[in-house]
């Protein structure tokens, strides 16, 4: 459920914006409307602690991509709405930090389900965890996972490699957590997809591979070891130390 969540809706079509806010509001979410990318950025910078951003791509002033990037910098998950359907567009958005992608025209019930899935993934960290009422319990039960020079704190949702913090998106964090929880297991792309997003937001095979590539790139940037090994035709695993 999304009851109590604070959601920023950035959509320049006033009718669509009103419909989204009204529908999510009926699920007890508190929605704030922005009708341009510039207004979306102003609201993100205005002090309100949003739990989720739902944004169009084609916006006046500032693009949806910039809104997604700004949300990511603040640790706020983002769902993109767009008429673009190409796989390359979805991959580009995932690379800049989008958590999910819904093509127009979309069904409001599906949008609600995707909002619930993204908020569920972010539960236990910041306002999203408080809004869903799961943060405290999850933090108390959280584990500190270690593998080689990697260390992952589930409660704080922090990942470090060789002592250097590595900034991961929520999906990337869940993929790394899945690896470290079962380091000797070969994880299929489907299994990683479900672990990262749940059945309602399962990722395509190519998208999982993109996330793995992003994780590897971030590890290389820190000079830390990349333990992720590709098992061709099956999936991925952590290599033996």
């Amino acid at each position: 459920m999304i009851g109590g969540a604070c959601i920023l809706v950035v959509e320049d079509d006033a009718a669509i914006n009103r419909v989204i806010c009204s529908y999510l509001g009926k699920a007890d979410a508190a929605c704030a409307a922005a009708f341009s990318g510039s207004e979306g950025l102003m609201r993100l910078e205005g002090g309100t602690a949003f739990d989720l951003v739902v944004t169009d791509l084609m916006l006046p002033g500032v693009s949806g991509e910039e809104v997604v990037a700004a949300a990511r910098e603040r640790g706020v998950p983002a769902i993109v709405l767009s008429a673009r359907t190409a796989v390359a567009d979805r991959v580009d958005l995932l690379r800049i930090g989008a958590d999910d992608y819904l093509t127009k025209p979309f069904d409001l019930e599906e949008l609600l389900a995707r909002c619930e899935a993204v908020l569920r993934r972010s539960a236990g960290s910041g306002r999203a965890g408080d809004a869903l009422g799961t943060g405290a319990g999850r933090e108390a039960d959280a584990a500190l996972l270690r593998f080689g020079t990697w260390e992952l704190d589930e409660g704080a949702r922090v990942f470090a490699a060789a002592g250097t913090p590595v900034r991961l998106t929520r999906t990337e964090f869940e993929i790394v957590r899945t690896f470290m929880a079962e380091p000797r297991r070969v994880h299929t792309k489907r299994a990683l997809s479900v672990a990262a997003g749940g059945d309602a937001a399962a990722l395509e095979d190519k998208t999982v591979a993109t996330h793995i590539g992003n994780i590897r790139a971030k590890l290389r940037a820190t000079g830390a070891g990349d333990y992720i090994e590709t098992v061709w035709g099956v999936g991925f695993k952590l290599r033996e130390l």
Side-chain angles (χ1 to χ4, degrees):
M1 299 297 291
I2 63 172
C6 188
I7 301 176
L8 174 63
V9 180
V10 189
E11 166 63 66
D12 62 319
D13 187 311
I16 294 177
N17 199 317
R18 284 195 299 269
V19 168
I20 292 173
C21 288
S22 175
Y23 192 83
L24 298 182
K26 289 177 182 177
D28 295 327
C31 293
F35 300 95
S36 70
S38 303
E39 185 181 0
L41 287 184
M42 288 176 61
R43 285 188 172 273
L44 280 170
E45 296 168 354
T48 301
F50 291 105
D51 299 303
L52 175 65
V53 172
V54 176
T55 182
D56 190 12
L57 278 186
M58 303 298 291
L59 295 167
V62 171
S63 70
E65 288 90 344
E66 291 178 79
V67 173
V68 171
R72 178 184 175 183
E73 288 179 0
R74 290 160 177 78
V76 181
I79 295 176
V80 169
L81 309 174
S82 176
R84 300 179 193 172
T85 59
V87 171
D89 291 324
R90 295 198 295 271
V91 169
D92 287 343
L93 285 164
L94 289 165
R95 282 177 174 155
I96 65 171
D99 292 82
D100 207 343
Y101 187 103
L102 197 58
T103 56
K104 293 182 175 180
F106 56 88
D107 183 85
L108 287 168
E109 187 174 354
E110 182 179 4
L111 173 61
L112 174 61
R114 288 177 183 263
C115 288
E116 290 173 341
V118 170
L119 286 167
R120 194 163 54 241
R121 293 203 299 271
S122 64
S125 174
R127 280 182 51 84
D130 296 337
L132 296 177
T134 58
R138 181 167 174 176
E139 186 170 349
D141 296 333
L144 187 64
L145 302 177
R146 291 188 177 89
F147 186 86
T149 63
W150 291 4
E151 185 173 284
L152 184 144
D153 187 330
E154 290 188 283
R157 295 189 69 82
V158 172
F159 173 65
T164 301
V166 180
R167 192 169 184 177
L168 302 176
T169 67
R170 285 167 176 76
T171 300
E172 292 164 2
F173 184 91
E174 291 303 326
I175 289 174
V176 172
R177 187 197 63 75
T178 300
F179 281 135
M180 295 180 70
E182 298 181 90
R184 291 180 176 79
R185 177 180 175 182
V186 176
H187 301 269
T188 66
K189 291 179 180 178
R190 173 62 183 171
L192 289 171
S193 169
V194 172
D199 291 336
L203 307 173
E204 299 176 5
D205 281 358
K206 289 182 180 178
T207 305
V208 172
T210 298
H211 284 299
I212 296 292
N214 290 345
I215 294 167
R216 284 171 165 161
K218 291 177 180 180
L219 288 166
R220 283 196 299 272
T222 65
D226 171 16
Y227 302 122
I228 302 174
E229 179 180 329
T230 301
V231 181
W232 295 107
V234 182
F236 302 91
K237 66 183 290 289
L238 295 185
R239 64 179 173 82
E240 296 294 332
L241 295 176

